[in-house]
Amino acid sequence: TALVLVANAWTIMVIVHAVDRWGGTVRWHEEDRRWLGSQRLKGYRVDDLGQLLRQAPAPLPALAVLWDVTVNLSNFGALVGYMIVTGDAMRPLMSSGCDDLADRRPWIT
């Protein structure tokens, strides 16, 4: 388990440094009253792993499409799950007062 956590932390730091190099990060330094950070390389704006994979050498750009599809399908599944949980949670609350809202269907459509 510890080895997996170390490998995961190392991989995440590689991604963070790559996004910092290609995407540039800037933060406000209160003491110096100025912006600090690396500048973006001209023509590049990298904000997520899919965009970072598109900047990598072959064959990694082909994985960017797979990554984007996976992220979008996961988000869609999570949103559907939220709607189902909301519909199931609202049924007991609304069953005594309003028959129209006591069913799951109005909450998930």
Side-chain angles (χ1 to χ4, degrees), residues 90-104 106-107:
M90 295 305 285
R91 186 183 323 180
L93 294 173
M94 294 295 180
S95 62
S96 62
C98 182
D99 291 333
D100 292 335
L101 295 177
D103 190 26
R104 176 198 286 182
W107 295 102

Side-chain angles (χ1 to χ4, degrees), residues 5-71:
L5 290 175
V6 168
N8 193 12
W10 178 78
T11 305
I12 290 171
M13 291 312 297
V14 168
I15 293 168
V16 166
H17 285 289
V19 168
D20 184 43
R21 173 162 165 39
W22 290 98
T25 57
V26 181
R27 66 178 180 85
W28 179 253
H29 191 266
E30 191 63 40
E31 211 172 273
D32 292 342
R33 310 259 326 135
R34 66 185 181 99
W35 292 98
L36 298 176
S38 62
Q39 297 297 319
R40 285 189 174 94
L41 295 177
K42 277 199 179 298
Y44 293 103
R45 176 162 175 94
V46 176
D47 293 320
D48 66 15
L49 188 57
Q51 291 173 341
L52 181 63
L53 286 170
R54 286 180 182 85
Q55 304 300 325
L60 292 178
L63 295 177
V65 174
L66 177 66
W67 179 260
D68 290 339
V69 167
T70 303
V71 167

